[in-house]
Amino acid sequence: MEKKRCLFCSEIVPIEVKGEFDRYLSCNCSPGSYYSLLRDDYTAINALSYSVKNKRFPIISGYIREQSDCGERVTLTIENIETIENAPTIPVSVEDKEARLLQYVYRNSEAPGEAVIIQPLANNYNLTYSPNLQELVYIIEKLREAQMLTREGMTFKLTEKGWNEAAASAGGRKLKSSYVLLPDDQGIRKEWTDSIFPKIEQSGFLPRLLQQTEKEGSEAQSLSDLSDSKLIIADITYHAPEVYLAAGYALGRSIPVIWTMKNGTGADANVHAQPIRPLMWDNPEDLASMLQQRLVFKE
């Protein structure tokens, strides 16, 4: 397998060629996962001035690391790395970076005092979007002094105080991974993202839209991305083959699937027999309410 140097963490790792994109596999930016970079932009990004790279690359590495740890797939181009650098969600202050480390340990443990291994530290300072190891060590010591975190070698544990702080900054509870399968119809997709996704999140699930076709600036996702999901919601309004395929894959992995379908499409006569009994909806508000009622039993 071809290998290439990750621009953002400098590790040489295997890559997979996927259309116009290269997938960088298990570098320090995305351990155990991958991110994608538009192949034609590699040289241009590498040609940026030292001062720009010195400031921007640790931020991009931290962004990839955080998104990957949250189960998101990152696709980069030369245009969007500048946007990411200037995004309001990027931590700037030491306090913001402390919160990122607390959230990382929180996401990867089930209760206060449960051990999380971070090894070696030298490969993990992107957990706090830090430019170097020294800043990460400083952040760890500050959290220890504040009695939010304990450390024994490479083993880290949240104290009760640290757990509560992390839970508060994460919205009070952990959201379960979920994917939404939608037809390639911009009207329906807007209805879902504007009105239905927030209600799904309120019900304890983190909804993500599966991108099954390659579009400009984004890479098509693999069905294997569904593997760790706790729930699939499949809208069959237009009987899109890719929706049925992905939902069938999920069922084969024993992942629960909720089917939905918009009324008035003239194609609902064949879907009322088991095992497909979709929630029929007229407007996104009604569907959001129906989904909340259904999801409360899955919490």
Side-chain angles (χ1 to χ4, degrees):
M1 182 176 287
E2 182 183 354
K3 292 189 175 183
K4 207 168 184 178
R5 182 174 67 88
C6 169
L7 294 173
F8 311 111
C9 70
S10 295
E11 189 177 8
I12 298 175
V13 294
I15 64 168
E16 285 184 353
V17 176
K18 295 291 181 179
E20 297 178 343
F21 294 86
D22 288 333
R23 287 182 177 178
Y24 290 76
L25 308 177
S26 292
C27 68
N28 293 332
C29 300
S30 189
S33 185
Y34 66 85
Y35 74 90
S36 299
L37 176 65
L38 189 64
R39 187 177 311 106
D40 289 347
D41 285 349
Y42 184 94
T43 301
I45 294 172
N46 195 35
L48 294 170
S49 69
Y50 174 80
S51 60
V52 170
K53 290 193 287 190
N54 194 45
K55 178 186 178 185
R56 183 174 296 171
F57 284 9
I59 293 173
I60 301 303
S61 182
Y63 174 82
I64 298 169
R65 182 68 183 271
E66 183 174 43
Q67 294 298 307
S68 296
D69 192 61
C70 291
E72 300 288 346
R73 298 301 187 202
V74 177
T75 300
L76 300 176
T77 66
I78 193 169
E79 287 81 12
N80 69 10
I81 63 170
E82 183 174 0
T83 302
I84 292 169
E85 178 188 3
N86 297 315
T89 54
I90 298 298
V92 177
S93 67
V94 170
E95 291 73 21
D96 289 340
K97 294 180 178 183
E98 290 173 7
R100 288 306 209 272
L101 184 56
L102 290 178
Q103 288 169 15
Y104 173 77
V105 180
Y106 175 74
R107 284 194 303 270
N108 290 279
S109 57
E110 296 298 328
E114 183 173 311
V116 173
I117 308 298
I118 303 177
Q119 182 178 10
L121 278 183
N123 293 346
N124 287 280
Y125 55 82
N126 55 11
L127 288 174
T128 52
Y129 289 73
S130 295
N132 51 53
L133 176 60
Q134 288 74 19
E135 184 176 271
L136 173 60
V137 172
Y138 173 71
I139 289 169
I140 291 170
E141 291 306 309
K142 284 200 65 182
L143 290 171
R144 289 180 61 188
E145 291 171 4
Q147 298 184 337
M148 292 192 186
L149 187 75
T150 65
R151 175 188 177 187
E152 298 177 4
M154 300 295 105
T155 301
F156 295 81
K157 302 175 183 178
L158 289 180
T159 64
E160 193 77 36
K161 180 181 178 182
W163 180 270
N164 292 336
E165 179 70 21
S169 62
R173 60 177 172 171
K174 297 182 180 181
L175 298 178
K176 301 174 185 177
S177 172
S178 66
Y179 271 99
V180 177
L181 313 176
L182 296 178
D184 192 11
D185 179 275
Q186 293 306 309
I188 284 184
R189 290 189 173 212
K190 189 174 191 309
E191 287 179 319
W192 277 78
T193 54
D194 289 352
S195 302
I196 302 173
F197 275 39
K199 298 298 183 181
I200 296 173
E201 188 166 331
Q202 289 174 18
S203 301
F205 292 85
L206 179 63
R208 287 171 284 174
L209 183 62
L210 187 70
Q211 178 67 46
Q212 297 186 76
T213 57
E214 192 167 299
K215 297 181 181 297
E216 185 176 356
S218 65
E219 182 198 10
Q221 292 173 272
S222 168
L223 292 181
S224 62
D225 290 340
L226 302 175
S227 298
D228 295 327
S229 185
K230 303 302 181 185
L231 174 72
I232 301 297
I233 301 175
D235 190 87
I236 52 174
T237 294
Y238 293 120
H239 298 295
E242 64 271 18
V243 172
Y244 283 105
L245 175 63
Y249 173 86
L251 289 171
R253 307 275 304 190
S254 299
I255 301 170
V257 176
I258 295 177
W259 304 88
T260 68
M261 185 175 185
K262 191 171 186 178
N263 275 316
T265 60
D268 58 353
N270 299 320
V271 296
H272 291 287
Q274 292 285 4
I276 300 178
R277 295 292 298 271
L279 298 175
M280 303 301 296
W281 58 284
D282 293 301
N283 60 69
E285 291 75 21
D286 288 344
L287 177 58
S289 178
M290 287 189 286
L291 283 172
Q292 281 192 303
Q293 292 178 36
R294 180 72 65 88
L295 294 177
V296 72
F297 297 107
K298 294 186 178 294
E299 272 278 56

